[in-house]
Amino acid sequence: MSFLARTLKPVTALARVSRLSTRFYASETAAAPAAGKLVVNFALPHAAVLKGVEVNQVDMSAVSGDLGILADHVPTIEQLKPGVIDIISDSGSTKYFVSGGFAIMNPNSVLNINAIEAFKLEDLDPQAVATNLAESQRLASSAKDEVTKEAAVIEIELYEAIQSALSAKSK
C-alpha cells in the first residue's frame, strides 16, 4: 500500500477497490467542447477519474508554479508537484490531492492530467496524515543509510503538502 493511500478514511479505501476502469484508444476521445469550456481527461495508472468532462477551469500546482487553466489556454506540458487540483464546473468545485504527474494542455481545449495517485481532498484523514508525518520524521532522523533517509524525506514533503492542502480547505 502506498504511503499516500494510508491517509484515506477506511470507508473510502474499500469503496475505491470496487471501481473498475476501461481503457480507450485516442480516437475515442470526446468531441470538441462547447464554447468557453475545457474538456478534462484525468487518469491514474489503475483508473480513469474523469473522461471527456466539460468544466470551466482547472487550478493546479506545477513545478513551474501555480496554474489556472481555462478553455483556449496556450498548449503546454507541465510536471505536477504534490498538491491540489481544483476542477471547477457549473455545478461546483471538486478538489483532488495528487502526489505528482503531468498535465498536458492541447490546442483544442482538451486538458489531459496523468497522475500517479489522486484522492479527493475530503477523503483524506487529517489525523492519519499527522500520524504518518510524525512517523516519517522519526524515520528520517534515525535512518542509518541514505536510501532510507531519502525515502523518509520524500514522505515528509508529501505529508506536509497534504497538511497544507487540508488546512487551506478548512479556512
Side-chain angles (χ1 to χ4, degrees):
M1 178 185 300
S2 73
F3 55 88
L4 182 56
R6 291 188 308 228
T7 63
L8 287 176
K9 295 175 185 171
V11 173
T12 305
L14 291 175
R16 195 167 311 285
V17 172
S18 65
R19 283 195 294 181
L20 297 176
S21 65
T22 305
R23 292 185 175 227
F24 296 95
Y25 292 105
S27 62
E28 297 177 11
T29 59
K37 294 290 185 175
L38 177 67
V39 172
V40 176
N41 299 306
F42 186 3
L44 305 175
H46 60 278
V49 178
L50 300 172
K51 183 181 181 315
V53 176
E54 288 189 1
V55 301
N56 298 328
Q57 179 175 344
V58 176
D59 297 331
M60 64 185 76
S61 294
V63 173
S64 63
D66 292 340
L67 299 170
I69 306 285
L70 299 167
D72 300 319
H73 190 282
V74 63
T76 186
I77 299 174
E78 297 290 339
Q79 181 180 352
L80 301 175
K81 65 181 185 178
V84 175
I85 292 180
D86 188 6
I87 299 173
I88 304 164
S89 64
D90 292 335
S91 60
S93 171
T94 305
K95 295 183 180 189
Y96 295 89
F97 184 86
V98 297
S99 59
F102 288 90
I104 303 161
M105 182 63 199
N106 297 296
N108 59 350
S109 292
V110 174
L111 175 64
N112 295 310
I113 302 169
N114 300 301
I116 300 164
E117 295 178 299
F119 300 98
K120 284 189 175 180
L121 208 53
E122 64 200 34
D123 293 343
L124 297 174
D125 181 7
Q127 184 60 39
V129 172
T131 302
N132 290 328
L133 175 59
E135 176 64 15
S136 296
Q137 290 168 333
R138 185 192 66 73
L139 286 172
S141 65
S142 65
K144 297 194 185 329
D145 61 272
E146 285 300 311
V147 174
T148 305
K149 184 175 183 172
E150 287 301 316
V153 168
I154 291 169
E155 286 187 19
I156 290 168
E157 290 173 2
L158 185 64
Y159 286 128
E160 287 174 345
I162 295 171
Q163 274 189 332
S164 176
L166 290 173
S167 66
K169 175 187 143 190
S170 64
K171 290 181 181 178

